Amino acid sequence: MTPPHSPSASSGRNDAVQTLDRHFPPEIRAAYERFMQTRVPADADTVVLAIMLDHMPEKDRRPSTPPADTLTLVADLGFDSVAIAEMVFFLEDLFEVRISNDEILRVRTVGDLRAFVRQKLDASPPANPPA
Amino acid sequence: MSRHAVVTGLGFITSIGNDRAAVTESLHTLRPGLERVEFLGNPSLAVKVAGTIKDFTVDSPSWRDWRYPARYTLPREALRSLPPHGLYAICAVEQALADSGLAAADLTDGGTGLYCASAGSAFLLHHHLAHMHAVRGERGNPMGVVASIAGTLNFNLAANYGIRGAVGGFAAACASSSHALGCALDDIRLGRQTRMLVVGAEEVNAETILPFAAMRALSTNPDPATASRPFDQQRDGFVGAGGAVCLILEEAESARKRGVPIYAEFAGWGQAADGFNVAVSHPDGAGLAEAIRRALADAGVKPAEIGYVNAHATSTPAGDRSEALALGAVFTKTGAHPQVSSTKGLTGHPLSMSGVMEAAFCALAIRDGFIPGNANLVSPDEACAGLSLPRSTVAAAPGIVLNNSSGFGGSNVCHVFKPTKA
C-alpha cells in the first residue's frame, strides 16, 4: 500500500489541467488543446461552458444544453459565491490568467461569462504552450 | 447536578473496521488493522507500518479523484471543501446518526452542537502552499484554507449538517477529541445543549504521520503483527493511524423520550496537565494520575469501582511507562485492580481522534459486555507490576470504565462511563 502523495508535485501539470485530463469528456479536453494551439474562440466557449456546468452546485437546477446566455449564475443556476470563486480559480489555473474581484462581480449571466473569458484570453495569450 | 448525558450513537471509519460490526469483531478477536506502507515512495525509510483505512482512496489533493464506498453519497458542494479526513468524518457521522435514529433535519434546531478534533490536513495545506509559491501568490484555491487548516472538521461538518448550536474544535494533539468529549458533557450538564456530536478524525499519509519519525516517536518494527505493542518490553514507538469516529452524546431524558437504545452513561471527566515538557510525558505520570482522580471525583466513583481502563498507551517507551505508573498510583496502591488494556495494539495511534475512538470502544464494551485484550503484549514492562493486563478479550461486563488520553504539552484527559439501568 502506498500512502497519499500529491500527483501534481510529480507531474508538473497544475491541478486544473490534471482535472480536465482526468474528469472531463474527451471532446472538452480536445477543445482545450485546440484552443491553446489555435486560439479559436468557439473552443474556449466549449471549455468554459463545460467548466461552468461542472462547478454548479448539485442542488436542483440543471439547464438545458447548451445553457442560454441569459441565464444568471446565481438566481437561475444556483451558484453561490464559493462556487463562483472555485470556478474562477479553475479558469485562472487552466488558462493561466488573473481575474480580479471587480471582474468577477461584473459576470452575472452565462453570456457574461463567455464574453468575459473570450475577452480575457484575447488580452492574455498564454506564456507557455500547454504541458 | 441533575442533567445526565448518555451515548446514543457511534460511527467508525478506523483501521480495524469501517462500521460498528467490524470494529466490534476486531475488538473481540484482536484482529489488527495495521499494514505495511511505503511513505513518499521511499523504501529506505525506517517507518514501514501504519493503521490504514481500507475501501477509501484519498491519495489525491482533488476530491474528484477520491473513491469511497457507494453507500455514502456526497454532493460536490460538500466535497469541494473537504480534506481527506473530512470525508472519513462525514461517513462516520452518517453511521452515528443512523445508529442513534436521527435524521439530518433533527440537528438544525439549535439544540445540537458539534465539537471536533483533528490536526487539520497537513497534506492539503502543503499542496496549496506549494501552489501558492509556484504562482508567486497570484492565485489560489478558494477552498484551500477551509479544507486544510486545523478546524476544517468543524467548518465542514457544521455547514454540511446545518448545526446551529455550539460548534468548535480542540487542539491538544493526542488528547484533543477527549477534550471535545469532556466539554460536550459539560454543555449538556449545564443545559446549553440537548445533544452533541463529537468527532475526531485524522489522515493516514506522510504529511500527518512521518513528522513523528523525526521525534523518534514512531515504531521502526517492520512487522504489522507486532509493531504496535503497548506496555510490552519490546515496544519501540507508536504506529500512526487515522480515520474518523463520531460519538453522539445526548441528555438522558431526551434520549429516553426518543426511545433510542443507550450504550452507556458518560458520568464524568477530568483533566490535569503535567507542567513538565512540551513533548514528553511526566516520568511518574503525575498529571495523568491527577486527571484520573479528577474524573473519578466528577463521576462520584471510587478507584475500586472501576472495572476496566482503556489506556492511552501508544507503544512508546516513555509514554506507556508513565501511564503504567499513574495507574499504579491511583489503583494498585489503593488496592484496586481494574482490567487494563490499550486497544492501540490493534488500531495503531490515530493521534487526535484516539480519545473519542477509545471512548466509543468503551461504550461498545459496556453495551456488549466485553473487555478488550492487549494485542501483542508478551512481556509487560516492569512499570506495569500489579496491573491486570488481559492478553485476550474477556467475555465479561466491564462495569464502570475509565478512558485515558494524553497529548503534547502534558495534557491529560480522562472519562468515566457507566452502564445504564435497563
Side-chain angles (χ1 to χ4, degrees), chain A residues 54-124:
Chain A
D54 178 76
H55 282 77
M56 275 182 58
E58 296 172 9
K59 288 171 184 163
D60 47 12
R61 289 161 287 202
R62 279 284 173 191
S64 58
T65 303
D69 275 354
T70 53
L71 291 174
T72 61
L73 297 180
V74 174
D76 294 323
L77 301 184
F79 272 80
D80 55 23
S81 60
V82 170
I84 291 175
E86 198 187 9
M87 177 177 68
V88 166
F89 167 62
F90 194 98
L91 293 167
E92 286 181 310
D93 238 13
L94 190 66
F95 293 114
E96 298 186 354
V97 294
R98 287 185 68 182
I99 300 173
S100 71
N101 289 348
D102 287 345
E103 289 173 322
I104 295 171
L105 290 172
R106 289 199 292 273
V107 174
R108 300 177 63 82
T109 67
V110 174
D112 291 345
L113 179 67
R114 292 201 307 157
F116 168 70
V117 174
R118 280 190 182 206
Q119 173 260 320
K120 195 78 185 178
L121 295 178
D122 276 349
S124 304

Side-chain angles (χ1 to χ4, degrees), chain B residues 28-75:
Chain B
H28 275 287
T29 62
L30 300 189
R31 181 191 64 216
L34 312 186
E35 286 186 304
R36 291 270 296 198
V37 296
E38 187 175 279
F39 286 120
L40 302 175
N42 183 357
S44 68
L45 294 179
V47 175
K48 298 187 184 302
V49 177
T52 53
I53 301 303
K54 292 77 178 173
D55 302 326
F56 286 74
T57 303
V58 289
D59 57 354
S60 165
S62 172
W63 56 266
R64 298 164 191 269
D65 298 326
W66 297 348
R67 297 290 176 267
Y68 46 95
R71 63 181 281 203
Y72 304 107
T73 55
L74 285 79

